[in-house]
Each structure stands twice: as C-alpha cells, then as structure tokens.
Amino acid sequence: MNVHGLNGEKQGNQGTYKSLLLLDEISKGTPQSQRDLSKKLNIALGLVNSYIKNLISKGYITVRAIPSKRYVYYLTPTGFAEKTRLTYHHLQNFTNLYKEARRDFKELFSRLHKEGVRSVIFAGADESAEIAYLSLQEFDIEFEGIVDNEPAGRDFFRYRIMPFERVKEINADFVIVSSFLRKDEIYKRLIEEGISPDKIKSIFPIYENLYEVNPVAGEK
C-alpha cells in the first residue's frame, strides 16, 4: 500500500471528510449550535467553528440567528452541489483504500499465519477495521475481539466493541492497528495501556514521539 502517499494526503482527506459530515448534517435543517454539531459529529468545537467559517466564506451555507442565541445553518444550492461532489470524492477515496488495504492486510495475515500466530485483537473500529476483518477470514487465525473507546459498546460484525482499558485482559498474540485515520492516536493509547511495541502490528506507517514505526506489510 502506498501508505506514505496516503499519509501525505491525510490532513486533506480528513478535512474533506469532516466538511462532508458538516454539510450532510446541516442539510437536515435542524436548528443546532456549533457545540451541538461538535458533539454529534465528534469533531472538536474549535474545528467546527473553523470549518463553518470556511463553508460560509465559500458560499456553501448561510446562517440565521434564532432565539436563545442559537443558529440555523442552511445549505445553499452551491452547498448542495458541493455535498454531492464531496460524497463522490469520499467514495473514490474509500474504493482506493479498500483495494490497497485489502491486499496489505492479506499480506500481513499471511505472514503472521506462516509464523505460527494463532490469535489477534484489533484496535480501532472504522472502515479499515472492516476490511481487516474480512481479510482475516481467509486465514486460520482467531479473532479475539476489538477495542476502541469512541464506539465502545456497539457491535462490530458479531462482536461487541470493548473499551481500550480491556485490551490487556484479552489473550491474543498481537494487537492489529485497524484504523487508518486514527492510527497514531490508537498506537499511543495502546502504549499507554501497557502493550509492548513488539506486540503491535500495523500496515500503516505510525509516527509517535518523532520516531517512525514502519508498516509491516511487505516486509521480508
């Protein structure tokens, strides 16, 4: 996977995706503050404010004050067109991510299987994790569960997502970083929970405290 290229585009892709989330939420026409949008979309309040200002300056949304110091945001015709464009852009990015991540996860699990690895646990529940899980089904490696605080308690396929605090309770040979967009954050959290770096595998490059953890897929 050309993860270095993807990593270079990470900030732009995240910004595009968050703009899409905001445009999609605003298109529903529900009166809500920036704090409401921040909580609902799990985006920092300061970032919501910045994105809103940017979207207004580009003519994608308009704003009207209502009682109780609240605001209603509306998509302009240009905003609806931009929402459609960003949706298509996101689908294209996901298609590319799917193809490359599917290949690299298969390479990783194939190598782990040859090395006698019997079980793994995933860290990070998002689209990349779903690709990893589907890839794992092709190998005789047990899936022992998945941890992630943001969607903890929800279902991931037929498994319940557990909080990070439980990662050391689960008996598995390795922890797989299974999120692309939050890979650095997840790696840091695993270290904080006492997981040894040599027990963590990732197909994505991870940058933590000025040193680089190289992706394992494709290693000889």
Side-chain angles (χ1 to χ4, degrees):
M1 184 179 200
N2 185 15
V3 286
H4 291 282
L6 285 174
N7 193 68
E9 297 174 2
K10 175 183 174 183
Q11 295 300 326
N13 287 340
Q14 283 186 307
T16 298
Y17 184 57
K18 287 174 181 176
S19 293
L20 172 59
L21 291 178
L22 283 166
L23 289 173
D24 184 61
E25 189 62 34
I26 291 169
S27 71
K28 299 174 184 177
T30 304
Q32 50 195 330
S33 66
Q34 291 186 13
R35 190 172 299 277
D36 294 331
L37 291 168
S38 173
K39 291 180 179 179
K40 186 171 295 185
L41 300 177
N42 195 29
I43 301 175
L45 182 58
L47 281 178
V48 170
N49 180 264
S50 177
Y51 282 119
I52 290 292
K53 287 181 178 178
N54 184 50
L55 294 172
I56 291 175
S57 70
K58 291 181 176 180
Y60 297 151
I61 63 175
T62 59
V63 58
R64 178 170 62 86
I66 60 175
S68 302
K69 297 182 179 180
R70 293 172 67 85
Y71 299 90
V72 181
Y73 299 99
Y74 297 97
L75 257 65
T76 65
T78 305
F80 276 105
E82 178 66 4
K83 175 176 173 288
T84 300
R85 187 191 72 81
L86 290 180
T87 300
Y88 179 71
H89 177 77
H90 176 62
L91 290 174
Q92 278 191 314
N93 284 342
F94 179 71
T95 299
N96 293 334
L97 174 64
Y98 179 87
K99 290 178 180 177
E100 297 182 357
R102 185 89 160 91
R103 179 195 65 213
D104 288 351
F105 275 124
K106 286 177 67 175
E107 290 180 6
L108 169 61
F109 295 139
S110 175
R111 184 164 59 79
L112 292 179
H113 182 260
K114 291 176 182 177
E115 293 174 356
V117 171
R118 304 295 299 275
S119 60
V120 296
I121 179 174
F122 287 179
D126 62 12
E127 294 165 335
S128 299
E130 294 176 7
I131 299 169
Y133 181 79
L134 293 174
S135 303
L136 184 65
Q137 304 312 300
E138 300 182 30
F139 302 93
D140 187 21
I141 298 177
E142 290 294 324
F143 179 73
E144 299 294 347
I146 183 168
V147 295
D148 194 339
N149 276 0
E150 291 187 6
R154 301 180 188 175
D155 290 333
F156 176 81
F157 290 93
R158 57 189 178 88
Y159 299 88
R160 184 59 55 90
I161 300 172
M162 296 171 285
F164 274 106
E165 290 79 5
R166 294 195 55 193
V167 67
K168 293 193 73 174
E169 300 175 15
I170 304 167
N171 185 27
D173 295 327
F174 287 99
V175 180
I176 309 297
V177 176
S178 49
S179 170
F180 170 62
L181 292 178
R182 295 169 47 237
K183 54 189 170 53
D184 300 306
E185 167 198 337
I186 287 171
Y187 179 84
K188 180 180 178 182
R189 184 59 189 273
L190 291 173
I191 297 299
E192 290 173 349
E193 291 297 331
I195 303 299
S196 174
D198 62 4
K199 291 293 184 181
I200 303 173
K201 299 292 185 181
S202 175
I203 67 168
F204 313 117
I206 296 173
Y207 297 87
E208 173 63 22
N209 295 332
L210 302 181
Y211 63 87
E212 178 180 350
V213 179
N214 291 319
V216 295
E219 284 183 355
K220 304 298 182 182

